[in-house]
């Protein structure tokens, strides 16, 4: 029957200091009336996690009675208080439909970029956005004055796997040109991983 308040703050496990998101600490507070001597009460922290890749966060809690601190749980090493944010990674391998790294000159050519991914959430929706880059200039490839882009939206069944992004474009004007595929993985409207190495042979076709 007594009223209590529990206040929590998120801590950065690596530094041992309060976690800062947008320059502010992340806190939550719940006031409740205890129905019995023993029980539990949920506390929700809501914040932007888009910059939290791979970070471990520990929750510290303090219990108050009439604004007097009567109990605390603040152990930076406690696994029960700890959550870790995913660190998504992608890698790509670009080739023609039959695995060829040298493509012909024709009115329409197909380039298949096989993207491997790690540390995704099974059942969640993701989008891969690809763009072809001109290795000679380091700038986006222009075909008839337009960038060549493609995207694929997918829902992984497992945390790791592969998905294809297919580019179809005219190659008649690309004689001798070397092309590199850059890929960006997006969740919602947040960019969570990129693979953009102009020197990566796996991403390259000629």
């Amino acid at each position: 029957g007594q009223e209590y308040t529990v206040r929590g703050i998120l801590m950065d496990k690596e530094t041992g200091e309060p976690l800062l998101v947008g320059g502010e600490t992340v806190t939550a507070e719940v006031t409740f009336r205890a129905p019995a001597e023993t029980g539990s009460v949920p506390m929700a922290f809501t914040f932007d996690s888009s910059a939290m890749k791979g970070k471990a966060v520990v929750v510290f809690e303090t219990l108050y009675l009439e604004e007097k601190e009567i109990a605390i749980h603040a152990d930076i090493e406690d696994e029960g208080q700890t959550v870790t944010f995913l660190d998504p990674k992608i890698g790509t391998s670009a080739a023609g439909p039959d695995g060829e790294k040298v493509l012909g000159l024709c009115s329409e050519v197909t380039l298949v970029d096989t993207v491997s991914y790690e540390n995704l959430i099974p059942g969640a929706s993701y989008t891969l956005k690809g763009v072809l880059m001109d290795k000679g200039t380091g700038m986006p490839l222009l075909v008839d004055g337009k960038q060549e882009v493609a995207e694929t939206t997918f829902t992984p069944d497992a945390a790791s796997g592969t998905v294809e992004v297919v580019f179809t474009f005219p190659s008649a004007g690309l004689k001798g040109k070397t092309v590199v595929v850059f890929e960006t993985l997006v969740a919602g409207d947040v960019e969570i991983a990129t693979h953009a190495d102009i020197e990566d042979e796996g991403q390259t076709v000629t």
Side-chain angles (χ1 to χ4, degrees), residues 88-195:
K89 299 180 185 299
I90 60 173
T92 79
S93 178
D98 297 318
E100 62 271 33
K101 299 292 283 184
V102 178
L103 305 180
L105 302 175
C106 53
S107 60
E108 186 174 272
V109 69
T110 298
L111 188 159
V112 180
D113 195 31
T114 302
V115 182
S116 60
Y117 55 82
E118 300 177 16
N119 303 325
L120 301 191
I121 300 173
S125 179
Y126 298 90
T127 299
L128 277 163
K129 298 183 178 183
V131 59
L132 301 187
M133 305 292 290
D134 184 333
K135 186 171 182 178
T137 65
M139 303 297 291
L141 177 72
L142 297 180
V143 178
D144 297 331
K146 298 186 300 182
Q147 292 186 26
E148 289 299 325
V149 298
E151 68 177 56
T152 297
T153 297
F154 67 103
T155 302
D157 295 324
S160 300
T162 62
V163 65
E164 292 183 347
V165 181
V166 179
F167 298 80
T168 303
F169 56 98
S171 63
L174 302 180
K175 183 185 296 186
K177 194 171 286 293
T178 299
V179 175
V180 185
V181 186
F182 282 10
E183 295 282 1
T184 301
L185 181 64
V186 177
D189 58 356
V190 178
E191 179 183 306
I192 60 173
T194 60
H195 193 197

Side-chain angles (χ1 to χ4, degrees), residues 1-25:
Q2 180 65 57
E3 186 175 270
Y4 298 88
T5 297
V6 60
R7 295 179 180 136
I9 185 169
L10 301 188
M11 305 292 289
D12 184 329
K13 185 171 184 177
E14 182 179 6
T15 66
E17 299 294 327
L19 177 72
L20 296 179
V21 176
E24 302 289 336
T25 58

